[in-house]
Amino acid sequence: MAACCIFLKPFARFVLSLSDRLFVFILVFLFNFSFVAFAEKIIMNDGTEYTGNIHILQDVTTQRMQSKKIAEMLRTDPLTGVNNKAGMYDFFLNADTSCKASFFFINLDNFKYIYNSYGHETSDKYLKDIAGLIRDVVPDGVITRYSENEFFVMMPENLYEGQVRKRAKNLIDRASFITGYPDDIVQKCRVYIGALYDEELSEYIDTIVKKTEIAMFHAKESNSSRYYLSYGA
């Protein structure tokens, strides 16, 4: 790309006819520029008569890619690599509201025990490992770290109720036998899941989150299967 820029610089400032403009676009195509910016200046002679235009061709691929990377960072939780709340709201802002979906609200109960007993390195590792489990169990999901010890997950609408239940049970089972941690962490820190099945995306996202969170509280009250499924509108 640097060689291309050096090659184009001597040709960047000159008066372009229609054929010249075509030549520039051919150069752009050959050198595979992702983004191109044009600047144009009208040239007048001393008698204020129009004599032509100067066009400046500049490859701004790097700047655009950097801007895209920064925007992605603002939507991503830096620890787990999943969406943060801003990323979640951005996704739902552009979602097809005519569709339906199913959701998980995942709570890591007694998570503070890990931090208080073993420090932030172990608690951070636990969060990353749980996020990895969620990715494995819900590979087609949109995952958000909703708070310090909570995740919110959206799943596609083509899942049957049985599949949603199976995913919830699978995630709980795998978290219950997570390896690489002292026994007291595995015993004290439990995963509870609230599941909301077949909810319309026309609902406001905060309403969907609240419904799914209420299902999670029911799961904590039951304390048996550790997940609770409710149904959308």
Side-chain angles (χ1 to χ4, degrees):
M1 182 60 69
C4 298
C5 294
I6 293 171
F7 173 74
L8 284 175
K9 280 182 179 178
F11 298 90
R13 298 169 181 263
F14 59 98
V15 178
L16 295 176
S17 66
L18 290 176
S19 59
D20 292 328
R21 294 184 184 187
L22 178 60
F23 174 69
V24 167
F25 281 112
I26 292 174
L27 288 179
V28 170
F29 176 78
L30 289 176
F31 290 111
N32 195 27
F33 285 1
S34 299
F35 300 97
V36 176
F38 281 102
E40 182 178 62
K41 182 179 179 182
I42 296 176
I43 304 302
M44 310 292 287
N45 61 17
D46 292 339
T48 67
E49 295 177 342
Y50 169 80
T51 60
N53 295 346
I54 287 182
H55 293 258
I56 302 171
L57 173 66
Q58 180 183 8
D59 174 26
V60 293
T61 303
T62 301
Q63 295 94 314
R64 292 291 181 87
M65 294 298 290
Q66 288 175 343
S67 297
K68 184 178 180 180
K69 185 176 181 179
I70 292 172
E72 186 65 28
M73 290 172 62
L74 293 174
R75 296 191 295 266
T76 303
D77 175 56
L79 178 63
T80 61
V82 301
N83 289 328
N84 58 21
K85 278 189 178 181
M88 180 189 76
Y89 284 113
D90 183 64
F91 175 84
F92 280 97
L93 186 65
N94 298 287
D96 183 357
T97 57
S98 65
C99 295
K100 290 186 175 182
S102 296
F103 302 88
F104 284 158
F105 193 100
I106 302 166
N107 176 269
L108 311 182
D109 197 43
N110 289 328
F111 172 73
K112 285 188 177 181
Y113 173 83
I114 304 176
Y115 180 82
N116 293 335
S117 302
Y118 295 94
H120 74 87
E121 288 187 5
T122 302
S123 60
D124 285 355
K125 181 178 181 299
Y126 185 80
L127 278 172
K128 289 189 285 187
D129 286 346
I130 291 296
L133 289 180
I134 298 172
R135 287 192 189 95
D136 289 344
V137 174
V138 194
D140 50 3
V142 179
I143 307 169
T144 299
R145 186 182 175 191
Y146 192 76
S147 69
E148 179 187 34
N149 65 323
E150 293 172 325
F151 293 88
F152 182 73
V153 183
M154 171 186 161
M155 295 169 284
E157 67 173 330
N158 58 353
L159 295 177
Y160 296 111
E161 179 183 336
Q163 293 174 296
V164 175
R165 290 183 181 274
K166 184 177 180 180
R167 288 183 174 192
K169 292 171 66 176
N170 189 12
L171 181 55
I172 290 169
D173 289 343
R174 292 184 62 175
S176 299
F177 294 98
I178 193 168
T179 58
Y181 296 92
D183 291 341
D184 57 330
I185 289 181
V186 178
Q187 292 168 2
K188 289 180 178 292
C189 301
R190 294 187 169 189
V191 170
Y192 290 91
I193 300 177
L196 180 61
Y197 176 69
D198 210 28
E199 178 62 276
E200 294 181 355
L201 290 182
S202 56
E203 282 275 19
Y204 187 52
I205 179 57
D206 286 346
T207 302
I208 294 175
V209 171
K210 189 64 178 177
K211 287 181 178 181
T212 317
E213 185 181 23
I214 290 172
M216 184 272 296
F217 289 137
H218 287 311
K220 283 192 171 185
E221 290 171 357
S222 66
N223 202 33
S224 52
S225 62
R226 286 195 276 155
Y227 82 90
Y228 182 92
L229 187 140
S230 60
Y231 299 89

